[in-house]
Amino acid sequence: MTSKFFSRSKSVFSNDEHSKARSTVLPTLSKKDLGNLVPKRGSRFAPVVGSWLLKTAGWHTVGDIPNISQAVVLALPHTSNIDGVYAIPALFSLDVKINIMGKHTLFKVPVLAQLLRWIGIIPIDRGNKGSVLQTSIDRFKSGEPLFLGLSPEGTRKYTETWKTGFYYLALSANVPILPVALDYKAKEVRFLSPVYPTGDIETDLPKVYAQYRGVVPRHPERLSQPLQDVNDLGGSES
């Protein structure tokens, strides 16, 4: 199934288009570029497999990850279930550990729970939204190394706005926002510049939006309105 996804991705753009689209500014990012504070898996196996999968797919990981131990990581644009087919190998290849939230009910089966925790999924009771935010803040304030991955679009379909919980989480926990982009045209997973929330959301959010200028998702028609606006696109899919 994975090879089928890879083949489909390769057929979307010609080789010439890929070479033109590929980043000429951001450097290639590899495991050796990560500082000592960045949360890591400590796995010998995962980086080898992740690197092989990325190479097979023709994808690259570029940009920079600052040498920090905590951050709220944004995964954007998220327009397809297939995004993880490229994002997860990219993370494995770097040996970086980014936790994401998952339904606590998934952890009722011990074997599955062990696998989910290894992947980096944190059990959360989504039925209590207030406790989810506070639990996340408490995790950061414990001082443990934590890169927490969130998708502010909240859906794989077109949406007019982003959910701003990620911003207030980063602000309350006093940690930076680290944007990550999946660009299907350039076949790149891009680690972009961190944004440190000041409390002025109207000023800070445009700094995040601007970093996604030129990024092409798997389904451009599903691009969220903030990213359509930064790319000067007129149409949308409701």
Side-chain angles (χ1 to χ4, degrees):
M1 183 177 290
T2 301
S3 62
K4 181 179 179 181
F5 291 152
F6 287 166
S7 298
R8 181 174 176 182
S9 174
K10 290 179 180 180
S11 67
V12 175
F13 300 101
S14 68
N15 290 333
D16 287 341
E17 285 177 310
H18 280 306
S19 61
K20 290 177 183 177
R22 195 149 284 159
S23 176
T24 57
V25 177
L26 298 176
T28 299
L29 182 62
S30 66
K31 177 183 174 182
K32 64 180 178 59
D33 298 317
L34 270 61
N36 63 307
L37 297 179
V38 176
K40 301 181 182 70
R41 292 181 170 277
S43 171
R44 295 182 180 181
F45 176 71
V48 174
V49 174
S51 297
W52 179 82
L53 288 171
L54 280 183
K55 184 177 181 180
T56 301
W59 277 61
H60 300 261
T61 307
V62 301
D64 180 58
I65 299 178
N67 191 23
I68 54 177
S69 63
Q70 295 185 328
V72 171
V73 181
L74 303 187
L76 295 158
H78 183 35
T79 65
S80 169
N81 282 328
I82 308 306
D83 294 342
V85 172
Y86 308 107
I88 292 175
L91 299 182
F92 281 4
S93 70
L94 297 174
D95 197 39
V96 65
K97 184 177 182 180
I98 297 182
N99 293 100
I100 60 175
M101 297 180 186
K103 294 180 180 179
H104 68 289
T105 53
L106 296 174
F107 290 78
K108 291 183 177 180
V109 180
V111 176
L112 178 59
Q114 186 175 1
L115 174 62
L116 293 174
R117 288 192 173 91
W118 181 83
I119 292 173
I121 298 177
I122 300 173
I124 290 290
D125 182 359
R126 296 182 184 274
N128 192 336
K129 294 184 178 180
S131 70
V132 171
L133 177 60
Q134 189 57 52
T135 298
S136 300
I137 293 172
D138 291 344
R139 282 181 180 274
F140 279 117
K141 292 196 172 181
S142 72
E144 66 177 288
L146 177 62
F147 276 14
L148 183 60
L150 298 173
S151 180
E153 292 163 318
T155 177
R156 294 181 299 277
K157 297 181 180 180
Y158 166 79
T159 181
E160 291 185 356
T161 60
W162 286 6
K163 295 183 178 181
T164 55
F166 77 91
Y167 179 85
Y168 293 106
L169 169 58
L171 180 66
S172 299
N174 194 28
V175 299
I177 298 165
L178 181 60
V180 179
L182 275 75
D183 190 321
Y184 278 79
K185 186 172 184 180
K187 284 192 168 185
E188 289 178 347
V189 177
R190 298 176 183 168
F191 285 82
L192 305 168
S193 300
V195 174
Y196 290 79
T198 64
D200 184 354
I201 192 171
E202 299 300 326
T203 298
D204 294 340
L205 280 188
K207 296 177 183 177
V208 177
Y209 298 154
Q211 298 195 58
Y212 290 90
R213 184 173 289 113
V215 173
V216 179
R218 183 174 177 86
H219 296 292
E221 72 278 5
R222 298 180 185 174
L223 198 64
S224 62
Q225 194 60 50
L227 298 189
Q228 288 200 28
D229 291 342
V230 82
N231 284 287
D232 298 320
L233 301 177
S236 65
E237 180 181 272
S238 57

